[in-house]
PDB file of all heavy atoms in Angstrom:
ATOM      1  N   PRO A   1      93.661 138.106 193.203  1.00 98.00           N
ATOM      2  CA  PRO A   1      92.537 137.678 192.345  1.00 98.00           C
ATOM      3  C   PRO A   1      92.984 137.130 190.996  1.00 98.00           C
ATOM      4  O   PRO A   1      92.815 137.758 189.944  1.00 98.00           O
ATOM      5  CB  PRO A   1      91.718 138.960 192.196  1.00 98.00           C
ATOM      6  CG  PRO A   1      92.736 140.056 192.287  1.00 98.00           C
ATOM      7  CD  PRO A   1      93.761 139.576 193.283  1.00 98.00           C
ATOM      8  N   VAL A   2      93.553 135.934 191.010  1.00 98.00           N
ATOM      9  CA  VAL A   2      94.054 135.312 189.786  1.00 98.00           C
ATOM     10  C   VAL A   2      93.459 133.915 189.628  1.00 98.00           C
ATOM     11  O   VAL A   2      92.951 133.329 190.585  1.00 98.00           O
ATOM     12  CB  VAL A   2      95.597 135.231 189.798  1.00 98.00           C
ATOM     13  CG1 VAL A   2      96.218 136.621 189.710  1.00 98.00           C
ATOM     14  CG2 VAL A   2      96.102 134.497 191.045  1.00 98.00           C
ATOM     15  N   ALA A   3      93.560 133.405 188.397  1.00 98.00           N
ATOM     16  CA  ALA A   3      93.055 132.069 188.079  1.00 98.00           C
ATOM     17  C   ALA A   3      94.226 131.180 187.688  1.00 98.00           C
ATOM     18  O   ALA A   3      95.062 131.569 186.858  1.00 98.00           O
ATOM     19  CB  ALA A   3      92.039 132.139 186.938  1.00 98.00           C
ATOM     20  N   LEU A   4      94.321 129.992 188.253  1.00 98.00           N
ATOM     21  CA  LEU A   4      95.393 129.056 187.933  1.00 98.00           C
ATOM     22  C   LEU A   4      95.324 128.681 186.458  1.00 98.00           C
ATOM     23  O   LEU A   4      94.321 128.131 185.985  1.00 98.00           O
ATOM     24  CB  LEU A   4      95.283 127.806 188.798  1.00 98.00           C
ATOM     25  CG  LEU A   4      95.513 128.007 190.308  1.00 98.00           C
ATOM     26  CD1 LEU A   4      95.183 126.737 191.077  1.00 98.00           C
ATOM     27  CD2 LEU A   4      96.942 128.453 190.579  1.00 98.00           C
ATOM     28  N   SER A   5      96.397 128.965 185.728  1.00 98.00           N
ATOM     29  CA  SER A   5      96.387 128.748 184.279  1.00 98.00           C
ATOM     30  C   SER A   5      97.781 129.026 183.723  1.00 98.00           C
ATOM     31  O   SER A   5      98.655 129.555 184.423  1.00 98.00           O
ATOM     32  CB  SER A   5      95.368 129.679 183.598  1.00 98.00           C
ATOM     33  OG  SER A   5      95.612 131.037 183.947  1.00 98.00           O
ATOM     34  N   PHE A   6      97.995 128.667 182.484  1.00 98.00           N
ATOM     35  CA  PHE A   6      99.173 129.045 181.710  1.00 98.00           C
ATOM     36  C   PHE A   6      98.696 129.600 180.380  1.00 98.00           C
ATOM     37  O   PHE A   6      97.600 129.266 179.901  1.00 98.00           O
ATOM     38  CB  PHE A   6     100.088 127.835 181.439  1.00 98.00           C
ATOM     39  CG  PHE A   6     100.874 127.361 182.624  1.00 98.00           C
ATOM     40  CD1 PHE A   6     100.449 126.264 183.371  1.00 98.00           C
ATOM     41  CD2 PHE A   6     102.052 128.005 182.993  1.00 98.00           C
ATOM     42  CE1 PHE A   6     101.178 125.812 184.457  1.00 98.00           C
ATOM     43  CE2 PHE A   6     102.795 127.566 184.081  1.00 98.00           C
ATOM     44  CZ  PHE A   6     102.358 126.470 184.816  1.00 98.00           C
ATOM     45  N   VAL A   7      99.545 130.424 179.753  1.00 98.00           N
ATOM     46  CA  VAL A   7      99.228 130.972 178.433  1.00 98.00           C
ATOM     47  C   VAL A   7     100.438 130.831 177.524  1.00 98.00           C
ATOM     48  O   VAL A   7     101.581 131.029 177.948  1.00 98.00           O
ATOM     49  CB  VAL A   7      98.800 132.455 178.527  1.00 98.00           C
ATOM     50  CG1 VAL A   7      98.953 133.165 177.178  1.00 98.00           C
ATOM     51  CG2 VAL A   7      97.367 132.576 179.005  1.00 98.00           C
ATOM     52  N   LEU A   8     100.187 130.478 176.285  1.00 98.00           N
ATOM     53  CA  LEU A   8     101.157 130.620 175.208  1.00 98.00           C
ATOM     54  C   LEU A   8     100.650 131.730 174.299  1.00 98.00           C
ATOM     55  O   LEU A   8      99.558 131.617 173.714  1.00 98.00           O
ATOM     56  CB  LEU A   8     101.308 129.315 174.427  1.00 98.00           C
ATOM     57  CG  LEU A   8     102.000 128.153 175.140  1.00 98.00           C
ATOM     58  CD1 LEU A   8     101.977 126.912 174.251  1.00 98.00           C
ATOM     59  CD2 LEU A   8     103.431 128.525 175.505  1.00 98.00           C
ATOM     60  N   ALA A   9     101.416 132.828 174.225  1.00 98.00           N
ATOM     61  CA  ALA A   9     101.066 133.953 173.349  1.00 98.00           C
ATOM     62  C   ALA A   9     101.879 133.832 172.066  1.00 98.00           C
ATOM     63  O   ALA A   9     103.074 133.512 172.110  1.00 98.00           O
ATOM     64  CB  ALA A   9     101.364 135.273 174.044  1.00 98.00           C
ATOM     65  N   HIS A  10     101.238 134.117 170.935  1.00 98.00           N
ATOM     66  CA  HIS A  10     101.869 133.867 169.644  1.00 98.00           C
ATOM     67  C   HIS A  10     102.035 135.147 168.833  1.00 98.00           C
ATOM     68  O   HIS A  10     101.348 136.152 169.063  1.00 98.00           O
ATOM     69  CB  HIS A  10     101.047 132.854 168.852  1.00 98.00           C
ATOM     70  CG  HIS A  10     100.810 131.569 169.590  1.00 98.00           C
ATOM     71  ND1 HIS A  10     101.819 130.697 169.917  1.00 98.00           N
ATOM     72  CD2 HIS A  10      99.662 131.026 170.099  1.00 98.00           C
ATOM     73  CE1 HIS A  10     101.320 129.664 170.583  1.00 98.00           C
ATOM     74  NE2 HIS A  10     100.017 129.838 170.707  1.00 98.00           N
ATOM     75  N   ALA A  11     102.940 135.086 167.861  1.00 98.00           N
ATOM     76  CA  ALA A  11     103.298 136.259 167.067  1.00 98.00           C
ATOM     77  C   ALA A  11     102.167 136.727 166.154  1.00 98.00           C
ATOM     78  O   ALA A  11     102.244 137.834 165.608  1.00 98.00           O
ATOM     79  CB  ALA A  11     104.551 135.967 166.238  1.00 98.00           C
ATOM     80  N   ASP A  12     101.126 135.935 165.980  1.00 97.00           N
ATOM     81  CA  ASP A  12      99.991 136.361 165.164  1.00 97.00           C
ATOM     82  C   ASP A  12      98.883 137.010 165.997  1.00 97.00           C
ATOM     83  O   ASP A  12      97.798 137.297 165.474  1.00 97.00           O
ATOM     84  CB  ASP A  12      99.429 135.184 164.361  1.00 97.00           C
ATOM     85  CG  ASP A  12      98.887 134.064 165.244  1.00 97.00           C
ATOM     86  OD1 ASP A  12      98.959 134.202 166.489  1.00 97.00           O
ATOM     87  OD2 ASP A  12      98.411 133.052 164.693  1.00 97.00           O
ATOM     88  N   GLY A  13      99.152 137.240 167.284  1.00 97.00           N
ATOM     89  CA  GLY A  13      98.172 137.891 168.145  1.00 97.00           C
ATOM     90  C   GLY A  13      97.202 136.941 168.821  1.00 97.00           C
ATOM     91  O   GLY A  13      96.383 137.368 169.643  1.00 97.00           O
ATOM     92  N   THR A  14      97.268 135.661 168.497  1.00 98.00           N
ATOM     93  CA  THR A  14      96.412 134.679 169.155  1.00 98.00           C
ATOM     94  C   THR A  14      97.100 134.173 170.428  1.00 98.00           C
ATOM     95  O   THR A  14      98.272 134.471 170.689  1.00 98.00           O
ATOM     96  CB  THR A  14      96.103 133.495 168.236  1.00 98.00           C
ATOM     97  OG1 THR A  14      97.319 132.773 167.974  1.00 98.00           O
ATOM     98  CG2 THR A  14      95.487 133.975 166.931  1.00 98.00           C
ATOM     99  N   ALA A  15      96.373 133.406 171.192  1.00 98.00           N
ATOM    100  CA  ALA A  15      96.930 132.843 172.425  1.00 98.00           C
ATOM    101  C   ALA A  15      96.214 131.545 172.749  1.00 98.00           C
ATOM    102  O   ALA A  15      95.072 131.320 172.320  1.00 98.00           O
ATOM    103  CB  ALA A  15      96.789 133.829 173.584  1.00 98.00           C
ATOM    104  N   ASP A  16      96.900 130.693 173.487  1.00 98.00           N
ATOM    105  CA  ASP A  16      96.310 129.470 174.033  1.00 98.00           C
ATOM    106  C   ASP A  16      96.270 129.594 175.541  1.00 98.00           C
ATOM    107  O   ASP A  16      97.297 129.885 176.184  1.00 98.00           O
ATOM    108  CB  ASP A  16      97.148 128.255 173.634  1.00 98.00           C
ATOM    109  CG  ASP A  16      97.137 128.012 172.138  1.00 98.00           C
ATOM    110  OD1 ASP A  16      96.083 127.624 171.620  1.00 98.00           O
ATOM    111  OD2 ASP A  16      98.189 128.233 171.495  1.00 98.00           O
ATOM    112  N   LEU A  17      95.099 129.391 176.108  1.00 98.00           N
ATOM    113  CA  LEU A  17      94.904 129.447 177.561  1.00 98.00           C
ATOM    114  C   LEU A  17      94.686 128.029 178.065  1.00 98.00           C
ATOM    115  O   LEU A  17      93.751 127.346 177.635  1.00 98.00           O
ATOM    116  CB  LEU A  17      93.702 130.322 177.904  1.00 98.00           C
ATOM    117  CG  LEU A  17      93.231 130.310 179.365  1.00 98.00           C
ATOM    118  CD1 LEU A  17      94.296 130.894 180.292  1.00 98.00           C
ATOM    119  CD2 LEU A  17      91.906 131.068 179.515  1.00 98.00           C
ATOM    120  N   PHE A  18      95.537 127.592 178.975  1.00 98.00           N
ATOM    121  CA  PHE A  18      95.433 126.256 179.570  1.00 98.00           C
ATOM    122  C   PHE A  18      94.886 126.411 180.982  1.00 98.00           C
ATOM    123  O   PHE A  18      95.540 126.972 181.867  1.00 98.00           O
ATOM    124  CB  PHE A  18      96.803 125.581 179.565  1.00 98.00           C
ATOM    125  CG  PHE A  18      97.387 125.467 178.188  1.00 98.00           C
ATOM    126  CD1 PHE A  18      98.212 126.469 177.684  1.00 98.00           C
ATOM    127  CD2 PHE A  18      97.084 124.380 177.382  1.00 98.00           C
ATOM    128  CE1 PHE A  18      98.737 126.382 176.400  1.00 98.00           C
ATOM    129  CE2 PHE A  18      97.603 124.281 176.093  1.00 98.00           C
ATOM    130  CZ  PHE A  18      98.429 125.291 175.600  1.00 98.00           C
ATOM    131  N   ILE A  19      93.678 125.885 181.183  1.00 98.00           N
ATOM    132  CA  ILE A  19      92.965 126.135 182.429  1.00 98.00           C
ATOM    133  C   ILE A  19      91.993 124.986 182.682  1.00 98.00           C
ATOM    134  O   ILE A  19      91.449 124.395 181.731  1.00 98.00           O
ATOM    135  CB  ILE A  19      92.216 127.495 182.343  1.00 98.00           C
ATOM    136  CG1 ILE A  19      91.587 127.887 183.679  1.00 98.00           C
ATOM    137  CG2 ILE A  19      91.190 127.504 181.218  1.00 98.00           C
ATOM    138  CD1 ILE A  19      91.062 129.325 183.708  1.00 98.00           C
ATOM    139  N   ALA A  20      91.783 124.649 183.946  1.00 98.00           N
ATOM    140  CA  ALA A  20      90.826 123.595 184.279  1.00 98.00           C
ATOM    141  C   ALA A  20      89.449 123.962 183.714  1.00 98.00           C
ATOM    142  O   ALA A  20      88.977 125.090 183.883  1.00 98.00           O
ATOM    143  CB  ALA A  20      90.763 123.413 185.791  1.00 98.00           C
ATOM    144  N   GLN A  21      88.822 123.008 183.066  1.00 97.00           N
ATOM    145  CA  GLN A  21      87.591 123.318 182.341  1.00 97.00           C
ATOM    146  C   GLN A  21      86.441 123.744 183.247  1.00 97.00           C
ATOM    147  O   GLN A  21      85.554 124.497 182.824  1.00 97.00           O
ATOM    148  CB  GLN A  21      87.185 122.116 181.487  1.00 97.00           C
ATOM    149  CG  GLN A  21      88.182 121.825 180.355  1.00 97.00           C
ATOM    150  CD  GLN A  21      88.400 123.017 179.438  1.00 97.00           C
ATOM    151  OE1 GLN A  21      87.548 123.345 178.623  1.00 97.00           O
ATOM    152  NE2 GLN A  21      89.557 123.667 179.567  1.00 97.00           N
ATOM    153  N   GLU A  22      86.457 123.295 184.497  1.00 97.00           N
ATOM    154  CA  GLU A  22      85.381 123.711 185.399  1.00 97.00           C
ATOM    155  C   GLU A  22      85.469 125.197 185.750  1.00 97.00           C
ATOM    156  O   GLU A  22      84.523 125.765 186.310  1.00 97.00           O
ATOM    157  CB  GLU A  22      85.395 122.867 186.680  1.00 97.00           C
ATOM    158  CG  GLU A  22      86.655 122.986 187.513  1.00 97.00           C
ATOM    159  CD  GLU A  22      87.677 121.910 187.203  1.00 97.00           C
ATOM    160  OE1 GLU A  22      87.677 121.394 186.056  1.00 97.00           O
ATOM    161  OE2 GLU A  22      88.470 121.572 188.103  1.00 97.00           O
ATOM    162  N   LYS A  23      86.577 125.840 185.406  1.00 98.00           N
ATOM    163  CA  LYS A  23      86.759 127.249 185.705  1.00 98.00           C
ATOM    164  C   LYS A  23      86.270 128.147 184.571  1.00 98.00           C
ATOM    165  O   LYS A  23      86.273 129.376 184.696  1.00 98.00           O
ATOM    166  CB  LYS A  23      88.235 127.539 185.982  1.00 98.00           C
ATOM    167  CG  LYS A  23      88.846 126.639 187.050  1.00 98.00           C
ATOM    168  CD  LYS A  23      90.335 126.835 187.195  1.00 98.00           C
ATOM    169  CE  LYS A  23      90.631 128.085 187.919  1.00 98.00           C
ATOM    170  NZ  LYS A  23      90.068 128.072 189.286  1.00 98.00           N
ATOM    171  N   VAL A  24      85.897 127.535 183.456  1.00 98.00           N
ATOM    172  CA  VAL A  24      85.540 128.297 182.246  1.00 98.00           C
ATOM    173  C   VAL A  24      84.019 128.453 182.170  1.00 98.00           C
ATOM    174  O   VAL A  24      83.283 127.468 182.080  1.00 98.00           O
ATOM    175  CB  VAL A  24      86.066 127.600 180.988  1.00 98.00           C
ATOM    176  CG1 VAL A  24      85.684 128.406 179.742  1.00 98.00           C
ATOM    177  CG2 VAL A  24      87.582 127.430 181.075  1.00 98.00           C
ATOM    178  N   THR A  25      83.551 129.680 182.170  1.00 98.00           N
ATOM    179  CA  THR A  25      82.123 129.978 182.071  1.00 98.00           C
ATOM    180  C   THR A  25      81.797 130.446 180.656  1.00 98.00           C
ATOM    181  O   THR A  25      82.685 130.850 179.898  1.00 98.00           O
ATOM    182  CB  THR A  25      81.736 131.099 183.056  1.00 98.00           C
ATOM    183  OG1 THR A  25      82.414 132.315 182.659  1.00 98.00           O
ATOM    184  CG2 THR A  25      82.133 130.729 184.484  1.00 98.00           C
ATOM    185  N   PRO A  26      80.507 130.425 180.283  1.00 98.00           N
ATOM    186  CA  PRO A  26      80.130 130.984 178.968  1.00 98.00           C
ATOM    187  C   PRO A  26      80.541 132.446 178.821  1.00 98.00           C
ATOM    188  O   PRO A  26      80.944 132.870 177.727  1.00 98.00           O
ATOM    189  CB  PRO A  26      78.603 130.821 178.949  1.00 98.00           C
ATOM    190  CG  PRO A  26      78.335 129.672 179.876  1.00 98.00           C
ATOM    191  CD  PRO A  26      79.374 129.781 180.956  1.00 98.00           C
ATOM    192  N   GLU A  27      80.447 133.210 179.918  1.00 98.00           N
ATOM    193  CA  GLU A  27      80.839 134.619 179.870  1.00 98.00           C
ATOM    194  C   GLU A  27      82.325 134.757 179.559  1.00 98.00           C
ATOM    195  O   GLU A  27      82.736 135.650 178.804  1.00 98.00           O
ATOM    196  CB  GLU A  27      80.506 135.303 181.192  1.00 98.00           C
ATOM    197  CG  GLU A  27      79.024 135.419 181.497  1.00 98.00           C
ATOM    198  CD  GLU A  27      78.411 134.124 182.021  1.00 98.00           C
ATOM    199  OE1 GLU A  27      79.178 133.179 182.359  1.00 98.00           O
ATOM    200  OE2 GLU A  27      77.177 134.044 182.078  1.00 98.00           O
ATOM    201  N   LEU A  28      83.134 133.878 180.153  1.00 98.00           N
ATOM    202  CA  LEU A  28      84.566 133.924 179.900  1.00 98.00           C
ATOM    203  C   LEU A  28      84.874 133.592 178.442  1.00 98.00           C
ATOM    204  O   LEU A  28      85.695 134.267 177.799  1.00 98.00           O
ATOM    205  CB  LEU A  28      85.290 132.960 180.837  1.00 98.00           C
ATOM    206  CG  LEU A  28      86.824 133.072 180.831  1.00 98.00           C
ATOM    207  CD1 LEU A  28      87.262 134.336 181.548  1.00 98.00           C
ATOM    208  CD2 LEU A  28      87.460 131.850 181.486  1.00 98.00           C
ATOM    209  N   ARG A  29      84.218 132.556 177.906  1.00 98.00           N
ATOM    210  CA  ARG A  29      84.438 132.192 176.502  1.00 98.00           C
ATOM    211  C   ARG A  29      84.068 133.351 175.575  1.00 98.00           C
ATOM    212  O   ARG A  29      84.808 133.669 174.625  1.00 98.00           O
ATOM    213  CB  ARG A  29      83.609 130.963 176.134  1.00 98.00           C
ATOM    214  CG  ARG A  29      84.118 129.668 176.735  1.00 98.00           C
ATOM    215  CD  ARG A  29      83.348 128.476 176.199  1.00 98.00           C
ATOM    216  NE  ARG A  29      83.778 127.237 176.831  1.00 98.00           N
ATOM    217  CZ  ARG A  29      84.836 126.532 176.452  1.00 98.00           C
ATOM    218  NH1 ARG A  29      85.557 126.950 175.410  1.00 98.00           N
ATOM    219  NH2 ARG A  29      85.153 125.415 177.079  1.00 98.00           N
ATOM    220  N   ALA A  30      82.944 133.969 175.842  1.00 98.00           N
ATOM    221  CA  ALA A  30      82.507 135.086 174.997  1.00 98.00           C
ATOM    222  C   ALA A  30      83.491 136.248 175.077  1.00 98.00           C
ATOM    223  O   ALA A  30      83.800 136.899 174.064  1.00 98.00           O
ATOM    224  CB  ALA A  30      81.112 135.536 175.411  1.00 98.00           C
ATOM    225  N   HIS A  31      83.992 136.508 176.249  1.00 98.00           N
ATOM    226  CA  HIS A  31      84.946 137.603 176.435  1.00 98.00           C
ATOM    227  C   HIS A  31      86.244 137.332 175.689  1.00 98.00           C
ATOM    228  O   HIS A  31      86.803 138.234 175.040  1.00 98.00           O
ATOM    229  CB  HIS A  31      85.220 137.780 177.931  1.00 98.00           C
ATOM    230  CG  HIS A  31      86.460 138.559 178.253  1.00 98.00           C
ATOM    231  ND1 HIS A  31      86.555 139.913 178.064  1.00 98.00           N
ATOM    232  CD2 HIS A  31      87.676 138.160 178.743  1.00 98.00           C
ATOM    233  CE1 HIS A  31      87.762 140.335 178.430  1.00 98.00           C
ATOM    234  NE2 HIS A  31      88.453 139.283 178.844  1.00 98.00           N
ATOM    235  N   LEU A  32      86.753 136.115 175.748  1.00 98.00           N
ATOM    236  CA  LEU A  32      88.041 135.805 175.141  1.00 98.00           C
ATOM    237  C   LEU A  32      87.965 135.728 173.628  1.00 98.00           C
ATOM    238  O   LEU A  32      88.941 136.050 172.934  1.00 98.00           O
ATOM    239  CB  LEU A  32      88.581 134.493 175.721  1.00 98.00           C
ATOM    240  CG  LEU A  32      88.960 134.536 177.207  1.00 98.00           C
ATOM    241  CD1 LEU A  32      89.346 133.154 177.706  1.00 98.00           C
ATOM    242  CD2 LEU A  32      90.103 135.532 177.449  1.00 98.00           C
ATOM    243  N   GLY A  33      86.833 135.305 173.093  1.00 97.00           N
ATOM    244  CA  GLY A  33      86.659 135.265 171.652  1.00 97.00           C
ATOM    245  C   GLY A  33      87.447 134.141 170.983  1.00 97.00           C
ATOM    246  O   GLY A  33      88.098 133.321 171.639  1.00 97.00           O
ATOM    247  N   ASN A  34      87.404 134.136 169.661  1.00 96.00           N
ATOM    248  CA  ASN A  34      88.010 133.046 168.902  1.00 96.00           C
ATOM    249  C   ASN A  34      89.526 133.100 168.872  1.00 96.00           C
ATOM    250  O   ASN A  34      90.176 132.092 168.565  1.00 96.00           O
ATOM    251  CB  ASN A  34      87.478 133.058 167.459  1.00 96.00           C
ATOM    252  CG  ASN A  34      85.992 132.746 167.393  1.00 96.00           C
ATOM    253  OD1 ASN A  34      85.477 132.024 168.247  1.00 96.00           O
ATOM    254  ND2 ASN A  34      85.310 133.289 166.393  1.00 96.00           N
ATOM    255  N   ALA A  35      90.108 134.261 169.137  1.00 97.00           N
ATOM    256  CA  ALA A  35      91.569 134.402 169.044  1.00 97.00           C
ATOM    257  C   ALA A  35      92.289 133.821 170.256  1.00 97.00           C
ATOM    258  O   ALA A  35      93.517 133.711 170.250  1.00 97.00           O
ATOM    259  CB  ALA A  35      91.955 135.867 168.868  1.00 97.00           C
ATOM    260  N   VAL A  36      91.545 133.468 171.286  1.00 98.00           N
ATOM    261  CA  VAL A  36      92.132 132.813 172.457  1.00 98.00           C
ATOM    262  C   VAL A  36      91.550 131.410 172.537  1.00 98.00           C
ATOM    263  O   VAL A  36      90.375 131.226 172.845  1.00 98.00           O
ATOM    264  CB  VAL A  36      91.847 133.589 173.759  1.00 98.00           C
ATOM    265  CG1 VAL A  36      92.445 132.841 174.951  1.00 98.00           C
ATOM    266  CG2 VAL A  36      92.426 134.998 173.676  1.00 98.00           C
ATOM    267  N   ARG A  37      92.376 130.442 172.226  1.00 98.00           N
ATOM    268  CA  ARG A  37      91.934 129.044 172.276  1.00 98.00           C
ATOM    269  C   ARG A  37      92.027 128.543 173.710  1.00 98.00           C
ATOM    270  O   ARG A  37      93.052 128.719 174.378  1.00 98.00           O
ATOM    271  CB  ARG A  37      92.802 128.193 171.346  1.00 98.00           C
ATOM    272  CG  ARG A  37      92.668 128.565 169.870  1.00 98.00           C
ATOM    273  CD  ARG A  37      93.675 127.830 169.007  1.00 98.00           C
ATOM    274  NE  ARG A  37      95.024 128.326 169.236  1.00 98.00           N
ATOM    275  CZ  ARG A  37      95.571 129.342 168.573  1.00 98.00           C
ATOM    276  NH1 ARG A  37      94.865 129.995 167.660  1.00 98.00           N
ATOM    277  NH2 ARG A  37      96.810 129.744 168.836  1.00 98.00           N
ATOM    278  N   ILE A  38      90.971 127.915 174.190  1.00 98.00           N
ATOM    279  CA  ILE A  38      90.923 127.426 175.561  1.00 98.00           C
ATOM    280  C   ILE A  38      91.144 125.921 175.553  1.00 98.00           C
ATOM    281  O   ILE A  38      90.455 125.178 174.840  1.00 98.00           O
ATOM    282  CB  ILE A  38      89.573 127.761 176.220  1.00 98.00           C
ATOM    283  CG1 ILE A  38      89.348 129.280 176.211  1.00 98.00           C
ATOM    284  CG2 ILE A  38      89.529 127.227 177.643  1.00 98.00           C
ATOM    285  CD1 ILE A  38      87.980 129.705 176.702  1.00 98.00           C
ATOM    286  N   ALA A  39      92.119 125.475 176.339  1.00 98.00           N
ATOM    287  CA  ALA A  39      92.460 124.051 176.396  1.00 98.00           C
ATOM    288  C   ALA A  39      92.505 123.611 177.857  1.00 98.00           C
ATOM    289  O   ALA A  39      92.703 124.431 178.760  1.00 98.00           O
ATOM    290  CB  ALA A  39      93.806 123.802 175.733  1.00 98.00           C
ATOM    291  N   PRO A  40      92.339 122.315 178.127  1.00 98.00           N
ATOM    292  CA  PRO A  40      92.431 121.832 179.508  1.00 98.00           C
ATOM    293  C   PRO A  40      93.815 122.106 180.102  1.00 98.00           C
ATOM    294  O   PRO A  40      94.815 122.206 179.382  1.00 98.00           O
ATOM    295  CB  PRO A  40      92.169 120.331 179.377  1.00 98.00           C
ATOM    296  CG  PRO A  40      91.465 120.175 178.077  1.00 98.00           C
ATOM    297  CD  PRO A  40      91.992 121.238 177.185  1.00 98.00           C
ATOM    298  N   ALA A  41      93.873 122.207 181.417  1.00 98.00           N
ATOM    299  CA  ALA A  41      95.136 122.496 182.095  1.00 98.00           C
ATOM    300  C   ALA A  41      96.193 121.452 181.758  1.00 98.00           C
ATOM    301  O   ALA A  41      97.380 121.784 181.600  1.00 98.00           O
ATOM    302  CB  ALA A  41      94.909 122.578 183.601  1.00 98.00           C
ATOM    303  N   ASP A  42      95.784 120.185 181.634  1.00 97.00           N
ATOM    304  CA  ASP A  42      96.780 119.137 181.367  1.00 97.00           C
ATOM    305  C   ASP A  42      97.247 119.133 179.915  1.00 97.00           C
ATOM    306  O   ASP A  42      98.070 118.303 179.528  1.00 97.00           O
ATOM    307  CB  ASP A  42      96.258 117.759 181.779  1.00 97.00           C
ATOM    308  CG  ASP A  42      94.988 117.359 181.050  1.00 97.00           C
ATOM    309  OD1 ASP A  42      94.580 118.061 180.104  1.00 97.00           O
ATOM    310  OD2 ASP A  42      94.392 116.334 181.432  1.00 97.00           O
ATOM    311  N   GLY A  43      96.741 120.075 179.118  1.00 98.00           N
ATOM    312  CA  GLY A  43      97.229 120.202 177.757  1.00 98.00           C
ATOM    313  C   GLY A  43      98.474 121.063 177.638  1.00 98.00           C
ATOM    314  O   GLY A  43      99.059 121.168 176.549  1.00 98.00           O
ATOM    315  N   PHE A  44      98.907 121.683 178.733  1.00 98.00           N
ATOM    316  CA  PHE A  44     100.045 122.602 178.670  1.00 98.00           C
ATOM    317  C   PHE A  44     101.341 121.876 178.335  1.00 98.00           C
ATOM    318  O   PHE A  44     102.102 122.318 177.460  1.00 98.00           O
ATOM    319  CB  PHE A  44     100.170 123.357 179.993  1.00 98.00           C
ATOM    320  CG  PHE A  44     101.320 124.335 180.038  1.00 98.00           C
ATOM    321  CD1 PHE A  44     101.413 125.358 179.112  1.00 98.00           C
ATOM    322  CD2 PHE A  44     102.288 124.235 181.030  1.00 98.00           C
ATOM    323  CE1 PHE A  44     102.466 126.269 179.161  1.00 98.00           C
ATOM    324  CE2 PHE A  44     103.343 125.135 181.086  1.00 98.00           C
ATOM    325  CZ  PHE A  44     103.429 126.160 180.151  1.00 98.00           C
ATOM    326  N   VAL A  45     101.603 120.765 178.998  1.00 98.00           N
ATOM    327  CA  VAL A  45     102.856 120.036 178.741  1.00 98.00           C
ATOM    328  C   VAL A  45     102.914 119.533 177.298  1.00 98.00           C
ATOM    329  O   VAL A  45     103.929 119.744 176.610  1.00 98.00           O
ATOM    330  CB  VAL A  45     103.039 118.898 179.760  1.00 98.00           C
ATOM    331  CG1 VAL A  45     104.170 117.970 179.338  1.00 98.00           C
ATOM    332  CG2 VAL A  45     103.317 119.479 181.148  1.00 98.00           C
ATOM    333  N   PRO A  46     101.868 118.896 176.771  1.00 98.00           N
ATOM    334  CA  PRO A  46     101.917 118.504 175.347  1.00 98.00           C
ATOM    335  C   PRO A  46     102.097 119.702 174.412  1.00 98.00           C
ATOM    336  O   PRO A  46     102.767 119.586 173.376  1.00 98.00           O
ATOM    337  CB  PRO A  46     100.571 117.808 175.117  1.00 98.00           C
ATOM    338  CG  PRO A  46     100.163 117.328 176.473  1.00 98.00           C
ATOM    339  CD  PRO A  46     100.668 118.345 177.439  1.00 98.00           C
TER     340      PRO A  46
END
């Protein structure tokens, strides 16, 4: 039970989640909060 994605975790406790946007629900955004930035999957390489 996993979701295709990548994460960059940072020393300030924040993180970037790279995931296809169709997989992101309002409930997921609310759960992750402002400290986890959500970006499209193709944003991982840049």
Side-chain angles (χ1 to χ4, degrees):
V2 292
L4 294 172
S5 54
F6 286 99
V7 160
L8 290 176
H10 305 294
D12 62 359
T14 66
D16 295 291
L17 171 65
F18 302 91
I19 187 169
Q21 294 303 285
E22 62 266 27
K23 307 173 76 61
V24 180
T25 65
E27 294 79 11
L28 189 73
R29 288 187 183 277
H31 162 72
L32 293 174
N34 294 331
V36 178
R37 296 172 289 271
I38 301 174
D42 60 9
F44 180 58
V45 168

